Amino acid sequence: MGKKDKNKKKGKGAEKTAAKTEKKLTQKRKKELAAIGEDDIEKIVAEIEKEEKKRLQVVEKVVEPPSRRVNFSLVPHPLKDELILFGGEFFNGQKTFLYNDLFLYKPSRNEWLILKAPAGPPPRCGHQMVALSANQGQLWLFGGEYASPSQEQFYHYRDLWLFHMADKKWEKINAPGGPSARSGHRMVCVKKQLIVFGGFHDVLRDYKYFNDLYAFNLENYTWAKLEPSGTPPSPRSGCVMAALPDGRVMIYGGYSKTRVKKDVDKGNVHTDMFILSPEKHDETGTKWKWMTVKGSGVSVTPRCGLTLASAGAKAYVFGGVLDSEEDEEDIAGIFYNDLFVLELEKSCWRTVQISGKKDKDGKSHRRRRKEKDSQEDKEADEGSCSEEEEEDVEEALPAVIEDGVFTMTLGTASTSAVQETVVSESSNKTKYFVPSPRMNCGLAVKGGVLYLYGGMIEDGDRQYTYSDFYSLDLHKLDEWKTIIPNDLSTQEWFESDSSSNNENENEEDSESEEEAMEEDNNEEESDITMDELKRDENC
């Protein structure tokens, strides 16, 4: 009997140890935050939202282009020839900056405006934003993430916001039953519903990836958790998601992590494709089914950090990164700058080929393609995609380059530079420009033109964030035009001493756990002794 009680106490002791360890770590965290003069993350976010409510007037003025940023939203205005950019983040090596500014870009004037309206959402990145034409224009915003300047704390949102474009007014929608707090999710509008899928929640010590599915009804402002039939995508964040003209939804790729052992995680880059289809004869909008789809056309190499822009029955996808792990401490990224078009109804991928700008005499800068290739391009324009189609391969060129800023590995066969990306065809030495490789940039289609803004590239522990801006006429496909040039030489970067701090933290965490276990063992021995004394007394 005594032995049984002893084993039972050991189980309780483990729970006590975990609780005490967590308590010690919480106390330690509070001391660290106090030392750097930083409040608790929830308090910081609440104060920001409180300050936003104090703004009483709408301010709209012409400004300089947005600052460097990544993980922001860039969407086409539903009613005007404008682009809308919101939020994002920038990291300079020591400090993280989060934004909640709302910019309007007018292509006809090449002009940026900033729009500050009362009671707007707090700063964030990794959120999702959808623009609709209803009620003279609406912006719907859900979720995202806020990081404290020191990156010691992270806060994930689960709030839903509506911006009324005509009134220039923000409204926070308080509807219960929605998705949990997250970032890296995806959201599209289908038949008067906002469909939200996936994402992740990460608070340094623990993380979780999602594959749940929610629908927000735009007519009665209610959330519903959907339970589609079929096999769903595995949990992931950062996938690409597009609404098809017939009411279906396409999901491709994404990223997730799995725990291998304590303090060791494995990254997973997904390359599968799914179609979410509404059930026939369902008028409620809540019955759906998952279907796995095998994409056709060219092969897209595995990557995450892709950006998608929808254009009717087509979607354009740019960039991305693939981490190549040599060991647990040494992770290098292969960055891409290729542009694909996905024919949504046929799940067919094609590489977008730039023809090159023509000279005054009408000759193209690129060599003429064979009649067969021209015919394939014509078929692509008409929306067809042959199963026998093979990928057009550029002339192989060096995959590693240096530009005086850093050395990078490229994921395309084309030569790309950080400050200026020029692709050369070796047969006649002609060149044409392509935006440099990057991940998580902004991509939007408006008026038959594809726009690309910002994004980020990594080199070891360094992050270089872009503020460049380009456009590509999707009818001509002749050249990428530079609206704002790429100039990384002006980006500030401060070396961080985080690695040494992390080592100290790990040592202190280990000490805290050992202290908690020692205290628990002492209590356990004391409890056992008392039990023995009681048994002796009973005897």
Side-chain angles (χ1 to χ4, degrees):
M1 181 177 178
K3 188 175 182 181
K4 183 178 180 182
D5 290 343
K6 186 176 180 179
N7 290 336
K8 186 177 180 181
K9 288 179 181 293
K10 278 188 176 180
K12 289 183 178 179
E15 293 176 5
K16 288 181 181 179
T17 299
K20 288 177 180 177
T21 301
E22 186 63 30
K23 183 178 179 181
K24 284 182 177 289
L25 292 175
T26 301
Q27 292 173 344
K28 172 175 166 285
R29 176 66 62 190
K30 288 182 179 179
K31 291 179 181 178
E32 290 173 345
L33 295 175
I36 61 177
E38 190 171 285
D39 288 329
D40 178 76
I41 189 75
E42 293 188 13
K43 185 177 179 181
I44 295 174
V45 172
E47 285 295 324
I48 293 174
E49 191 166 342
K50 184 178 179 181
E51 288 299 316
E52 287 293 328
K53 290 181 180 179
K54 291 181 180 179
R55 183 181 291 120
L56 301 176
Q57 295 181 335
V58 175
V59 176
E60 187 173 2
K61 61 181 180 179
V62 177
V63 293
E64 294 296 314
S67 57
R68 301 179 184 279
R69 62 190 65 199
V70 65
N71 296 321
F72 53 93
S73 291
L74 181 68
V75 297
H77 196 294
L79 301 171
K80 300 179 181 179
D81 184 23
E82 295 178 354
L83 299 180
I84 304 169
L85 186 152
F86 176 85
E89 65 176 318
F90 169 68
F91 180 59
N92 67 2
Q94 291 185 354
K95 188 175 181 180
T96 300
F97 300 86
L98 274 294
Y99 306 105
N100 64 341
D101 39 16
L102 184 66
F103 290 92
L104 301 176
Y105 175 71
K106 298 179 180 292
S108 59
R109 303 179 189 175
N110 189 23
E111 183 177 83
W112 289 92
L113 285 81
I114 192 167
L115 180 57
K116 295 182 179 180
R124 66 192 64 203
C125 65
H127 53 277
Q128 284 287 279
M129 188 167 74
V130 172
L132 305 177
S133 59
N135 299 322
Q136 302 180 56
Q138 296 179 335
L139 284 179
W140 287 91
L141 175 73
F142 175 75
E145 177 182 329
Y146 179 84
S148 66
S150 65
Q151 282 201 329
E152 292 291 330
Q153 303 180 83
F154 293 88
Y155 181 87
H156 293 265
Y157 297 99
R158 60 178 302 183
D159 49 357
L160 179 65
W161 294 81
L162 168 60
F163 183 70
H164 302 272
M165 296 186 188
D167 299 329
K168 297 181 175 64
K169 176 185 176 183
W170 283 104
E171 178 186 0
K172 189 175 184 179
I173 307 298
N174 295 310
S180 58
R182 65 190 63 196
S183 62
H185 52 284
R186 293 295 179 260
M187 181 171 74
V188 296
C189 180
V190 178
K191 294 182 177 180
K192 297 183 180 180
Q193 290 190 110
L194 297 177
I195 305 294
V196 177
F197 170 80
F200 74 100
H201 187 277
D202 190 341
V203 288
L204 291 181
R205 296 187 179 280
D206 195 18
Y207 60 83
K208 183 177 182 180
Y209 285 81
F210 303 100
N211 66 341
D212 47 6
L213 191 71
Y214 287 83
F216 181 77
N217 190 305
L218 293 169
E219 293 184 323
N220 57 26
Y221 283 21
T222 58
W223 283 106
K225 185 175 182 180
L226 304 181
E227 301 287 352
S229 59
T231 303
S234 58
R236 65 191 65 192
S237 72
C239 60
V240 293
M241 185 174 178
L244 280 65
D246 60 4
R248 296 179 297 159
V249 177
M250 183 281 303
I251 290 175
Y252 170 78
Y255 176 83
S256 64
K257 288 192 300 184
T258 53
R259 181 134 305 150
V260 178
K261 56 183 180 181
K262 184 179 180 181
D263 299 328
V264 178
D265 302 311
K266 179 184 177 183
N268 306 299
V269 176
H270 302 282
T271 58
D272 43 4
M273 183 182 292
F274 296 83
I275 295 293
L276 179 67
S277 301
E279 295 280 4
K280 292 182 178 180
H281 312 301
D282 172 43
E283 297 181 356
T284 66
T286 60
K287 295 182 180 180
W288 300 74
K289 61 180 178 180
W290 287 110
M291 294 186 295
T292 305
V293 178
K294 184 177 181 180
S296 60
V298 303
S299 176
V300 180
T301 56
R303 65 188 73 182
C304 58
L306 299 135
T307 306
L308 177 144
S310 293
K314 295 182 179 181
Y316 293 86
V317 179
F318 182 88
V321 61
L322 177 65
D323 289 338
S324 56
E325 300 185 24
E326 297 181 7
D327 54 57
E328 294 177 5
E329 301 296 330
D330 188 8
I331 301 178
I334 302 174
F335 287 82
Y336 298 88
N337 68 336
D338 36 10
L339 176 64
F340 296 95
V341 59
L342 174 62
E343 296 177 18
L344 295 171
E345 293 183 357
K346 299 181 180 180
S347 304
C348 180
W349 294 95
R350 286 185 59 86
T351 303
V352 177
Q353 298 290 341
I354 307 301
S355 64
K357 190 175 181 180
K358 294 183 178 180
D359 292 327
K360 293 181 180 180
D361 59 2
K363 293 181 179 179
S364 174
H365 279 296
R366 294 189 64 194
R367 66 176 181 269
R368 295 179 180 275
R369 303 180 66 190
K370 294 181 180 180
E371 183 176 351
K372 178 182 177 181
D373 293 336
S374 299
Q375 180 62 30
E376 287 178 353
D377 282 347
K378 182 178 179 181
E379 290 175 356
D381 292 336
E382 294 172 353
S384 64
C385 199
S386 171
E387 293 183 1
E388 292 79 17
E389 177 182 19
E390 295 182 358
E391 183 174 5
D392 295 315
V393 181
E394 297 287 349
E395 192 74 25
L397 293 167
V400 179
I401 57 169
E402 298 183 16
D403 75 328
V405 178
F406 58 85
T407 303
M408 59 180 286
T409 304
L410 303 174
T412 61
S414 306
T415 298
S416 303
V418 177
Q419 301 290 17
E420 182 179 8
T421 307
V422 177
V423 178
S424 172
E425 291 201 349
S426 58
S427 61
N428 56 11
K429 304 298 182 183
T430 57
K431 299 179 179 181
Y432 60 95
F433 172 83
V434 178
S436 56
R438 66 195 66 201
M439 62 182 288
N440 295 337
C441 61
L443 206 65
V445 175
K446 185 65 181 178
V449 178
L450 178 67
Y451 293 91
L452 187 156
Y453 187 90
M456 185 262 286
I457 195 169
E458 297 174 337
D459 177 45
D461 294 333
R462 293 194 175 196
Q463 295 180 8
Y464 293 90
T465 307
Y466 292 112
S467 59
D468 48 356
F469 193 29
Y470 308 98
S471 67
L472 175 66
D473 189 317
L474 295 176
H475 300 294
K476 298 178 181 178
L477 292 177
D478 54 350
E479 63 171 343
W480 281 97
K481 293 183 179 179
T482 301
I483 303 173
I484 302 175
N486 174 17
D487 184 11
L488 286 179
S489 65
T490 61
Q491 178 182 328
E492 61 180 7
W493 181 264
F494 302 102
E495 293 296 336
S496 174
D497 55 355
S498 60
S499 54
S500 59
N501 290 339
N502 288 338
E503 290 178 5
N504 294 334
E505 285 180 7
N506 291 335
E507 290 177 3
E508 292 175 8
D509 292 350
S510 180
E511 290 174 2
S512 298
E513 190 169 344
E514 288 175 3
E515 290 174 4
M517 290 180 67
E518 187 175 346
E519 282 184 28
D520 190 62
N521 289 335
N522 292 336
E523 287 186 8
E524 186 177 308
E525 290 177 5
S526 176
D527 291 343
I528 294 171
T529 303
M530 291 300 296
D531 285 345
E532 290 174 350
L533 288 173
K534 288 178 180 179
R535 286 199 302 275
D536 291 342
E537 290 174 359
N538 292 332
C539 291

